[in-house]
């Protein structure tokens, strides 16, 4: 099948929900019996679970679906996509959601009431199930409908994993497999800009009129 770019509104919701990886968060003080989870190859693994980018259907929540969350939970379980929600973060130590703190150029945990926050469906569902998040209203969203069995991303990641995890391969080859698996994710979220600004003081032929 031929691939068609996702609708602009779906791309925008995806960009609104992207905030980078989750970092360790702890309340200041001395603590005992801490447990730290280090998820191996988390991003590449998630890409093996996503619906096939060629055949996936991006369905926007209808106006009748907006506002209600509890009744939509069965249809959202196991799905990927983005939800724009009002609600309350209930866990100050390990919050379910993050947002950009533009004043300090860093990620900020969401604790307390919030409005109009975009987050991925798995983040929201896990937060609600864990009791660290309450959803009061569902304002907008996109649900990705499709399967991953024919996904070229899934098969590429599995091939990279096979190279990385094969002990018969040379160390350099295993390292290349790991690099390919991790860099694919970064390239997919890379923002491409069509405008380029060049300082006139450094212009040189043949670009003097640019």
């Amino acid at each position: 099948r031929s691939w068609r770019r996702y609708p602009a509104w779906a791309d925008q919701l995806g960009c609104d929900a992207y905030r980078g990886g989750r970092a360790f968060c702890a309340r200041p003080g001395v603590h005992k019996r801490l447990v730290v989870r280090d998820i191996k190859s988390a991003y590449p693994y998630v890409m093996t679970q996503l619906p096939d980018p060629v055949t996936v259907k991006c369905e926007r929540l209808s106006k009748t679906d907006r506002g209600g969350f509890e009744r939509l939970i069965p249809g959202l379980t196991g799905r990927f996509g983005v939800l724009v929600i009002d609600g309350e973060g209930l866990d100050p130590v390990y919050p379910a959601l993050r947002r950009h703190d533009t004043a300090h150029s860093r990620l900020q945990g969401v604790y307390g009431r919030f409005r109009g926050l975009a987050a991925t469906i798995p983040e929201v569902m896990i937060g609600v199930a864990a009791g660290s998040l309450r959803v009061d209203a569902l304002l907008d969203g996109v649900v990705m409908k499709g399967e991953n069995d024919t996904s070229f991303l899934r098969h590429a990641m599995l091939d990279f994993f096979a190279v990385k995890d094969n002990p018969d391969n040379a160390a350099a080859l295993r390292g290349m497999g790991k690099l390919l698996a991790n860099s694919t994710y970064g390239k997919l979220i890379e923002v491409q800009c069509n405008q380029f600004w060049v300082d006139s003081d450094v212009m040189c032929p043949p670009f003097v009129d640019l």
Side-chain angles (χ1 to χ4, degrees):
R1 300 188 181 186
S2 60
W3 180 78
R4 294 184 178 180
R5 180 175 293 280
Y6 303 129
W9 59 264
D11 270 342
Q12 187 61 57
L13 285 172
C15 291
D16 292 343
Y18 175 70
R19 297 179 181 86
R22 175 171 294 183
F24 182 71
C25 175
R27 181 177 292 151
V30 178
H31 306 273
K32 297 180 179 180
R33 301 175 63 85
L34 287 177
V35 175
V36 178
R37 296 185 178 93
D38 183 8
I39 302 175
K40 180 183 178 183
S41 301
Y43 289 137
Y45 173 76
V46 169
M47 285 194 288
T48 69
Q49 306 302 302
L50 292 172
D52 184 354
V54 177
T55 59
V56 66
K57 302 295 183 183
C58 292
E59 295 186 3
R60 195 164 197 166
L61 296 180
S62 66
K63 291 183 179 180
T64 56
D65 288 334
R66 299 176 191 180
F69 176 72
E70 295 294 331
R71 64 185 177 83
L72 294 179
I73 287 180
L76 296 175
T77 302
R79 294 290 186 182
F80 291 93
V82 175
L83 302 177
V84 182
I85 57 177
D86 291 345
E88 184 174 5
L90 305 174
D91 189 341
V93 177
Y94 201 68
L97 305 178
R98 300 289 193 274
R99 61 184 163 199
H100 289 296
D101 179 2
T102 54
H104 301 92
S105 299
R106 65 184 181 186
L107 290 177
Q108 179 185 55
V110 176
Y111 178 61
R113 298 296 299 272
F114 62 85
R115 295 180 61 85
L117 183 67
T120 66
I121 291 176
E123 285 179 298
V124 173
M125 300 294 282
I126 291 171
V128 171
S132 58
L133 174 68
R134 189 186 74 243
V135 177
D136 296 330
L138 188 57
L139 308 180
D140 201 354
V142 56
V143 181
M144 300 170 69
K145 298 289 184 68
E147 304 300 329
N148 66 356
D149 54 343
T150 61
S151 172
F152 68 89
L153 275 178
R154 173 180 175 82
H155 290 283
M157 291 302 113
L158 293 178
D159 286 345
F160 296 155
F161 282 142
V163 172
K164 178 176 70 72
D165 295 333
N166 186 348
D168 294 332
N169 289 333
L173 185 59
R174 295 199 305 271
M176 184 188 71
K178 179 179 180 180
L179 180 62
L180 286 170
N182 290 329
S183 63
T184 303
Y185 166 80
K187 286 299 180 183
L188 286 175
I189 64 168
E190 188 175 45
V191 176
Q192 299 292 338
C193 181
N194 293 324
Q195 290 184 317
F196 300 90
W197 298 89
V198 182
D199 193 316
S200 60
D201 291 338
V202 297
M203 297 300 289
C204 58
F207 305 112
V208 291
D209 296 323
L210 183 63

